[in-house]
């Protein structure tokens, strides 16, 4: 049995990981009493006993916890950080198995893995295959719009939306320096920083990430079908790629994958006007957080892929 310690298991992501891990075979959870969860000596002993430590902590606390693991030396556990502290740090492997055909193997052999951000997961899934295929140039002007449920916004935002009369919708991060942008640039293949405009809706969970494109400004003036084919070639059956939707496409709502660990990609194209919108849909608590973490946990511990049962849903 592989031993797993979740440092910060009482938070939203930690609880989601526990819920997903409990039915899995081959994992023994190391859990601390509530009174010991902030006791460094108790946490260090749990880290020493574990084969893999998952950090579900604020960024600064995650950096401190990672340093604690480092004190255990070469015999210490593997480390998966669910915060944004190490996503572009040297020595850490980015925990998005679908990033390339060999990336799952890199995660499996890594000592330190950083779990992706929820918005970044959708944006990178949309951009990386097209940049690699030459459909989008690395220096192309890209704008990314996204909406998420309020559960990913921290205690203050959750309280504001949970209260009667909470905001229906709000755009935020208008300094245009959201913390997910560095990882989007690093792992999408872009050389030019995109404009990223996130927003929050008055619903608990669910997410849409969308990228508009002028097809006639892209090399080769690709069709919607050519874009879909690029996604098929990259993702095979690991993510669901929807057929290209034309001008009569139905609406895409953000909660359609709630309580799953799936990610859908939609290509909505109007080739009369050479316009397209790429859309990624995911649960910000699933593939955007806990679901992605459990996928990485399985790879790092050499266990069966927990998303394997979803792969027959490709193109469903």
């Amino acid at each position: 049995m592989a031993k797993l310690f979740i440092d910060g298991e009482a938070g939203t992501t930690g609880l989601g990981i526990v819920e997903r891990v409990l039915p899995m075979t081959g994992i023994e959870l190391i859990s601390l009493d509530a009174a010991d969860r902030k006791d460094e000596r108790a946490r260090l002993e749990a880290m020493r006993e574990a084969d893999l430590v998952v950090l579900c902590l604020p960024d600064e606390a995650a950096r401190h916890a990672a340093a604690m693991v480092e004190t255990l030396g070469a015999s210490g556990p593997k480390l998966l950080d669910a915060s944004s502290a190490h996503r572009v740090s040297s020595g850490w492997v980015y925990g998005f198995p679908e990033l390339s055909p060999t990336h799952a193997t890199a995660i499996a052999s890594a000592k330190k893995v950083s779990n992706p951000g929820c918005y970044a997961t959708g944006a990178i899934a949309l951009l990386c295959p097209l940049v690699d295929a030459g459909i989008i140039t690395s220096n192309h002007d890209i704008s990314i719009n996204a909406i998420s449920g309020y559960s990913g916004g921290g205690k203050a935002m959750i309280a504001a939306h949970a209260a009667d009369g909470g905001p229906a919708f709000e755009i935020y991060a208008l300094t245009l320096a959201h913390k997910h942008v560095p990882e989007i640039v690093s792992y999408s293949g872009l050389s030019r920083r995109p404009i990223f405009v996130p927003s929050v809706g008055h619903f608990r969970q669910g997410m849409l990430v969308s990228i508009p494109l002028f097809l006639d400004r892209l090399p080769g003036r690709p069709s919607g079908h050519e874009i879909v084919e690029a996604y098929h070639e990259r993702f095979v059956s690991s993510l669901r790629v929807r057929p290209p939707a034309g001008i009569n496409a139905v609406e895409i709502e953000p909660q359609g994958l709630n309580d799953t660990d799936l990610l859908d990609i939609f290509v909505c194209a109007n080739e009369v006007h050479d316009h397209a919108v790429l859309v990624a849909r995911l649960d910000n608590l699933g593939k955007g957080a806990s679901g992605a973490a459990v996928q990485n946990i399985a790879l790092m511990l050499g266990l069966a892929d927990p998303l394997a049962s979803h792969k027959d849903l490709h193109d469903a």
Side-chain angles (χ1 to χ4, degrees), residues 7-259:
D7 196 4
E9 71 172 80
T12 302
T13 300
L15 291 171
I17 294 172
V18 170
E19 180 182 359
R20 288 165 169 80
V21 163
L22 285 177
M24 296 173 63
T25 58
I27 295 180
E28 176 186 342
L29 277 174
I30 300 170
S31 196
L32 297 178
D33 293 335
D36 291 330
R37 288 176 185 161
K38 294 186 178 180
D39 184 306
E40 283 208 9
R41 184 175 299 177
R43 291 166 60 212
L44 188 60
E45 285 307 307
M47 292 172 178
R48 193 189 308 277
E49 186 182 350
D51 297 296
L52 173 62
V53 172
V54 182
L55 306 179
C56 297
L57 302 166
D59 285 6
E60 195 53 44
R63 292 186 186 95
H64 181 69
M68 290 171 62
V69 171
E70 293 287 347
T71 66
L72 299 176
S75 62
K78 290 187 171 185
L79 189 56
L80 173 64
D81 185 5
S83 81
S84 63
H86 298 102
R87 289 176 185 158
V88 293
S89 295
S90 176
W92 291 73
V93 173
Y94 194 60
F96 188 20
E98 298 85 4
L99 189 63
S100 76
T102 60
H103 202 69
T105 301
I107 292 169
S109 60
K111 186 74 170 180
K112 298 186 291 187
V113 174
S114 59
N115 216 49
C118 51
Y119 290 124
T121 295
I124 292 166
L126 293 175
L127 290 167
C128 185
L130 304 188
V131 174
D132 284 352
I135 291 173
I136 294 175
T137 58
S138 63
N139 64 348
H140 193 73
D141 294 335
I142 294 290
S143 61
I144 305 168
N145 301 289
I147 183 168
S148 174
Y150 60 77
S151 55
K155 292 180 180 179
M157 181 176 287
I158 292 171
H161 280 270
D164 290 340
F169 176 84
E170 49 191 326
I171 294 176
Y172 70 104
L174 290 172
T175 59
L176 304 181
H178 191 279
K179 66 180 182 178
H180 289 186
V181 173
E183 60 186 292
I184 292 172
V185 173
S186 292
Y187 303 109
S188 67
L190 295 178
S191 59
R192 181 170 171 80
R193 183 183 177 92
I195 294 175
F196 175 47
V197 184
S199 60
V200 174
H202 194 52
F203 53 92
R204 183 174 183 271
Q205 65 194 89
M207 175 171 285
L208 296 176
V209 180
S210 63
I211 299 175
L213 295 173
F214 291 97
L215 297 177
D216 58 349
R217 301 291 180 88
L218 300 177
R221 196 171 177 168
S223 68
H225 287 278
E226 288 172 312
I227 292 173
V228 167
E229 186 56 33
Y231 288 132
H232 278 309
E233 290 180 4
R234 168 57 60 86
F235 295 131
V236 190
S237 59
S238 58
L239 300 178
R240 303 197 302 184
V241 181
R242 303 294 188 158
I247 58 176
N248 296 317
V250 297
E251 293 83 0
I252 304 170
E253 57 88 20
Q255 301 178 81
L257 291 182
N258 281 7
D259 301 316

